[in-house]
Amino acid sequence: VSGSVSSGGRLAIPPNEPNYQAPPGVVEFATDARLVMMMPHMHVRGRSMAFTVETPDGRKQTALSVPRYDFNWQMQYVLSEPIALPKWSKLHADASYNNSVSNKFNPNPNRWVYNGNMTWEEMMSPFYSVLVPSDVQPRQVIRRGTGNSTVE
């Protein structure tokens, strides 16, 4: 099952801001699962992204940290060892953006930047894939009302 943990299109990056922190994304799993892949996706102002697993007992584990995101080098990170996600675990995604002149890929640091599909706009679309038991339907994987997640 694959999905996205987004900030729900709530990006509003101020002009000349070198370290804008996006609203975090979170998804809660309504069944046991195993995290097997993550893929940060932002546009040219993307600076960093991290995925954190939080288990129901409150333990947190960094699953992936990309401290120097590069739009020209987008990768899927496939885990050599899947991470167990007990039922009601959460996957958090945190991202930062550089909308300043120090970002050589920035088309215009003097304008506000909002969520959109065009490269001159921005996205926070952290993708992931999990394995679930074969008798679980994809729409049963995510708890409704948590985060802004899509599942396929």
Side-chain angles (χ1 to χ4, degrees):
V1 176
S2 296
S4 173
V5 187
S6 77
S7 60
R10 298 175 293 165
L11 293 176
I13 306 171
N16 301 297
E17 173 57 56
N19 191 23
Y20 173 78
Q21 301 297 310
V26 63
V27 61
E28 187 171 29
F29 295 93
T31 187
D32 290 339
R34 291 184 295 153
L35 181 63
V36 294
M37 186 279 295
M38 291 157 285
M39 181 184 154
H41 178 74
M42 300 181 281
H43 289 165
V44 296
R45 293 172 187 86
R47 182 171 184 229
S48 68
M49 187 175 287
F51 291 78
T52 305
V53 170
E54 180 181 3
T55 55
D57 62 6
R59 287 182 291 135
K60 292 184 178 182
Q61 171 187 357
T62 299
L64 176 67
S65 176
V66 179
R68 288 179 302 282
Y69 178 82
D70 185 336
F71 178 73
N72 299 301
W73 191 254
Q74 297 182 48
M75 303 194 53
Q76 290 185 0
Y77 295 86
V78 178
L79 300 173
S80 59
E81 291 291 324
I83 297 174
L85 302 171
K87 185 176 183 176
W88 306 126
S89 291
K90 296 177 183 177
L91 181 62
H92 299 266
D94 296 286
S96 68
Y97 297 83
N98 181 350
N99 188 23
S100 75
V101 295
S102 68
N103 178 352
K104 67 181 179 181
F105 300 109
N106 191 346
N108 185 351
N110 296 314
R111 68 182 286 267
W112 280 84
V113 181
Y114 301 98
N115 194 70
N117 292 327
M118 304 305 292
T119 303
W120 51 267
E121 297 170 308
E122 265 307 334
M123 276 191 170
M124 182 191 169
S125 295
F127 298 104
Y128 66 89
S129 291
V130 294
L131 300 176
V132 296
S134 61
D135 62 339
V136 175
Q137 297 297 314
R139 297 286 176 203
Q140 297 173 324
V141 173
I142 302 302
R143 180 178 178 186
R144 293 207 184 275
T146 61
N148 293 287
S149 187
T150 57
V151 176
E152 297 176 10

